[in-house]
Amino acid sequence: ENRPIPEPGPNEVLLRMHSVGICGSDVHYWQHGRIGDFVVKDPMVLGHEASGTVVKVGSGVTHLKPGDRVAIEPGVPREMDEFCKSGRYNLSPTIFFCATPPDDGNLCRYYKHSASYCYKLPDNVTFEEGALIEPLSVGIHACKRAGVTLGSKVFVSGSGPIGLVNVIVAKMMGAAAVVVTDISASRLQKAKEVGADFTIQVKNETPQEVASKVESLLGCMPEITVECTGVQACIQAGIYATRSGGTLVLVGLGPEMVTVPIVNAAVREVDIRGIFRYCNTWPVAISLLASKRINVKPLVTHRFPLEKALEAFETTKRGEGVKVMLKCDPTDQSP
């Protein structure tokens, strides 16, 4: 609250923040101080799912002006390296990323960001929808990497926020049937709400038994599996479930070392792909939201003012609801 209001550089904009979603990674940094090799060594501002209003523009900014409502892409390349040149800037090793140590995030009143990575929101897209473009982008990137297309049969493992956006995007991209697994009945109900065709509540089944249930519900083995939990047993189930010649995309991050039936995948030519965040997804997401072709509004289940941030984080930590949204601007009551 007492931090000075930053001054934007020539190619930056200063934003008055509006809506910021809480991600599992934010909670993980708060609780554990690290995710893999990313270690919090100094105080760090959290938040990377965000939208706000431009209040000041740098001297070199021409596409935005004060008063514009924008969604913020949190990953900004620092140099024009080989990954940026090939259009895969998310893989740039020196990328700035909100709320990844040592880079501060945007869960605050005022925040400055590269103007090129702020995207103007159409009038019919709310601030909340703008903040949800970040998790939605994970779904867009994962489904593109998976090759979802007309008629695809898709298995989404995990029905948290990232599992749900993958359901939404897979259906949008033409998937004929999507089956979702989770241990939580309420989360599976939310998956049904956003378009899942079938759900499986996993209890004590073996990975092979889960795979068998997926096949019997779809009437065939899925060509595509999107694994959103990072749990070893779920990755194993993903391999067993995927049709020979199909694709398994690993989205969820768990332990660094995982035991999987790799020979099963290899001899059946199941392609295993990873994703790291996303790239080139904000324009696509904004078009989809503006045209009302997708609806992400049901994902937001809790809202808190910035003053109650701790309560909001506790709610997320307990796994209540789906997406918890913080409102950073007390003067603005718009959605």
Side-chain angles (χ1 to χ4, degrees), residues 162-303:
I162 296 301
L164 295 174
V165 293
N166 274 283
V167 173
I168 291 168
V169 175
K171 293 295 283 188
M172 176 67 225
M173 289 173 75
V178 177
V179 59
V180 185
T181 54
D182 204 282
I183 55 175
S184 160
S186 63
R187 291 209 156 180
L188 289 172
Q189 183 54 43
K190 186 62 83 169
K192 279 274 197 192
E193 258 180 68
V194 300
D197 299 281
F198 308 103
T199 59
I200 299 169
Q201 188 174 6
V202 178
K203 296 190 168 73
N204 304 311
E205 294 89 344
T206 65
Q208 289 95 330
E209 286 168 343
V210 171
S212 179
K213 285 190 172 185
V214 169
E215 182 180 2
S216 64
L217 277 176
L218 287 174
C220 61
M221 295 171 81
E223 303 104 322
I224 290 161
T225 297
V226 185
E227 208 301 298
C228 302
T229 71
V231 174
Q232 177 172 286
C234 298
I235 299 171
Q236 292 170 353
I239 289 175
Y240 290 130
T242 307
R243 187 184 307 180
S244 296
T247 304
L248 166 65
V249 174
L250 301 176
V251 183
L253 299 177
E256 187 180 358
M257 289 293 180
V258 181
T259 303
V260 294
I262 199 73
V263 174
N264 178 290
V267 299
R268 296 193 302 108
E269 296 192 5
V270 172
D271 292 347
I272 299 175
R273 296 186 151 202
I275 72 156
F276 187 59
R277 300 171 179 157
Y278 32 67
C279 58
N280 305 304
T281 54
W282 259 253
V284 175
I286 289 170
S287 296
L288 290 172
L289 291 166
S291 63
K292 304 302 174 193
R293 296 297 299 280
I294 60 169
N295 181 17
V296 293
K297 290 177 180 175
L299 297 178
V300 181
T301 53
H302 295 72
R303 294 171 180 84

Side-chain angles (χ1 to χ4, degrees), residues 46-66:
L46 292 169
H48 58 268
E49 306 176 1
S51 63
T53 305
V54 175
V55 291
K56 201 170 191 181
V57 301
S59 57
V61 178
T62 56
H63 71 289
L64 293 171
K65 63 184 187 305

